[in-house]
Amino acid sequence: MSEKKRTGSALGNDRGRSQGRHAGGGNKGGGAKAAPAWMADLPVRLGQQVEADIVGISHEGEGVGRANGFTLFVAGALPGERALVEVAHLKKQYGHARLVELLEVSPDRVRPDCGIYEQCGGCQLQHLSYEAQLRVKRQQVVDNLERIGKLAVAAGNNEGTASQEGIVVHPTVGMADPWRYRNKAQVPFGEERGGLIGGFYAQGSHDIIDMEACLIQHEANDEVVARVKEIGSRLGFRAYREETGTGLLRHVVVKVGFRTGEIMVVLVTNGAEIPRVDEWVAGIREALPAVKSICHNINVKQTNVIFGDETRTLWGSDVIYDYIGDVKFAISARSFFQVNPVQTEVLYGKALEYAGLTGDEVVVDAYCGIGTISLFLAQRAGKVYGVEIVEEAISDARKNAALNGMSNVHFEAGPAEVVLPAWTRQGVRPDVIVVDPPRKGCDPALLATILELRPRRVVYVSCSAATLARDLRVLADGGYGVAEVTPVDMFPHTVHVESVCLLVRD
Ligand code: SAH
């Protein structure tokens, strides 16, 4: 019985900095100002309690509800549920509502494993069973391909079995154990009762809540953060305070190599000097023998950005190492490295399979970061050209190539949409182009160059199904068939969906 009658607060109806964002528009407080005229014509009213059928899940993890024919986003509600909700904010086309009571409960609803799930907001889908999360993620890819890309998806089911013409969207490849998967923690620090605390910002605020365990972090990261709190408190470290710009310790960043077990600890401080720094280093080394690198980053700016410009190594190595498949990577305090190494291997393995390499091909890896996909592909290609806009990332990519003794790779810093045409002028003719753009998708000029170059295959790795669909439309109109798509769950319990797509020249 109680299962059916959980209240909104228990389900985290304030979830989502997202809600705060949407709420920013202006209906705050309700009564003071007269409601605008358009609002009176809507089928729901502010503050009204209505019954809503939840028909989907938004890209921010809220339930998408229908009430009196109107769309209401309801944080904490799941597809297939029916709920009593209270209308909190209204726009002309949609609104947001608070979950008051569940009237019908989805069989996919589960109790979140994490005790601080509601407060934190780092995960958005822990109240949905993992199997259902994977189905929802596949469906989001399908919906985007159909609605934004106007592409035909093979009718089938969540098993990805095609029963007619169209793009095959495979089931989302999930993790056998979807917990403790992150290799990097970035923890803001504060103070409470004279000691250091560290954890996360409470949703929609900058209040730091202490956290002992984060179930999606590698255990080692929790352990390091706990020891940093103890040792830092013992040595009298003060935490940075945003309001006054005083105090020392801002963030602790921990990185762990899943395969190597090596750990890096980075203290981000407001100021260049760490008092009793030798005792600090000795304390960490004694408590945590797996730590191979202790770094110090200085950030004196009043900003939300975690890192400042200057990083020093206090003790040990400047980098730690880890592997994706057989390729070794050096990870420095500032360098970008995929946060879920287990699924990264799955993702890149799919990209490699879709690239269909036999050993001779010329491959371009656009948006290559530190060269992770490039080096993965270089194991099976004739030559790989990687391009990336961040200079430091390209310098890391070159180091990683050397680390693995790979000489069939060439990296260049610059915008992909500029560098690829330059390579073309130099006579580079790729057989395969791999793109892995940021959320905003590929630059139109890059897509145009791909269509001019007409490589046999294009492999599109995407972290945004919406821009993937938009870009696939362009490539499809330009003479590419979208063969298949495999969503890969890189971030279990969050709303993020990553997918790999194979396009073949018609
Ligand atoms: N393939 C890499 C990184 C992908 S993230 C990996 O798997 O680790 C996307 C990358 O695109 C980022 O590193 C970002 O810096 C880069 N980027 C953004 N705009 C770009 C552009 N116009 N040209 C080239 N790279 C760009």
Side-chain angles (χ1 to χ4, degrees), residues 336-338 344 347-348 365-374 387-390 393 414-417 436-438 440-441 443 461 463 498:
F336 171 82
F337 191 64
Q338 291 277 359
T344 299
L347 184 77
Y348 292 177
D365 178 15
Y367 308 93
C368 73
I370 59 164
T372 26
I373 295 180
S374 317
V387 53
E388 155 65 45
I389 205 159
V390 176
E417 60 276 16
D436 182 10
K440 68 176 187 207
D443 189 282
V461 182
C463 57
E498 192 99 9

Side-chain angles (χ1 to χ4, degrees), residues 4-5 8 26 43 60 63 71 81 103 140 154 194 209 212 370 396 414 422 478 495:
K4 295 206 173 200
K5 298 272 177 187
E60 292 184 344
T71 298
E81 294 188 327
L103 306 171
Q140 291 203 338
I209 304 214
E212 278 175 20
I370 59 164
D396 284 344
V495 287

Side-chain angles (χ1 to χ4, degrees), residues 279-292:
E279 287 171 78
W280 159 254
V281 168
I284 291 290
R285 287 181 59 193
E286 192 188 341
L288 301 158
V291 170
K292 295 282 177 272

